[in-house]
Amino acid sequence: ISSVLHNRLAIGMKLKCDATVQYILPERKEVLTFEDLKIDSPYNTYLYPGLPPGPISNPGLEALMAAVEPAESDYLYYRVDKKKNDGSHVFSRTYEEHKAAG
């Protein structure tokens, strides 16, 4: 996931990260709505480019290391793998692949 976010930042693409929107909501939702994605907050990476102004959680060492040294990839999209239902992710290079993985 860190690689995807680094790749997006490198090409000036908005992060569009659900976790940053979840951070600004009063309580966590299973699925974000289109209205949620319109919330005007500097933490809403669907609206504002770049990184949010501060951390959205208290990351562990593995997450910090992934942020500093992301895996090399050309992926721009990721989503939870609903077929496996184990919290793993599916990675895609194009939006078309991303939609097909849904």
Side-chain angles (χ1 to χ4, degrees):
I1 294 172
S2 178
S3 177
V4 169
L5 299 178
H6 276 84
N7 290 344
R8 287 181 176 193
L9 288 169
I11 63 171
M13 184 178 178
K14 288 182 182 169
L15 295 179
K16 294 187 176 183
C17 186
D18 290 2
T20 63
V21 176
Q22 291 282 6
Y23 178 76
I24 58 181
L25 296 175
E27 53 187 59
R28 192 177 190 298
K29 292 183 171 183
E30 197 63 33
V31 178
L32 295 174
T33 66
F34 288 114
E35 289 303 311
D36 296 330
L37 303 181
K38 295 177 187 175
I39 296 171
D40 189 14
S41 166
Y43 283 88
N44 187 343
T45 57
Y46 279 83
L47 296 180
Y48 294 96
L51 295 170
I56 61 167
S57 69
N58 187 9
L61 182 58
E62 258 185 77
L64 291 171
M65 293 307 296
V68 173
E69 297 179 13
E72 288 191 34
S73 79
D74 56 354
Y75 296 124
L76 291 174
Y77 302 91
Y78 68 94
R79 67 174 352 127
V80 172
D81 190 339
K82 294 179 185 175
K83 294 175 187 168
K84 289 186 180 177
N85 199 27
D86 63 359
S88 61
H89 294 81
V90 177
F91 296 88
S92 306
R93 290 170 182 83
T94 66
Y95 187 63
E96 290 72 29
E97 288 177 7
H98 179 65
K99 289 190 299 187

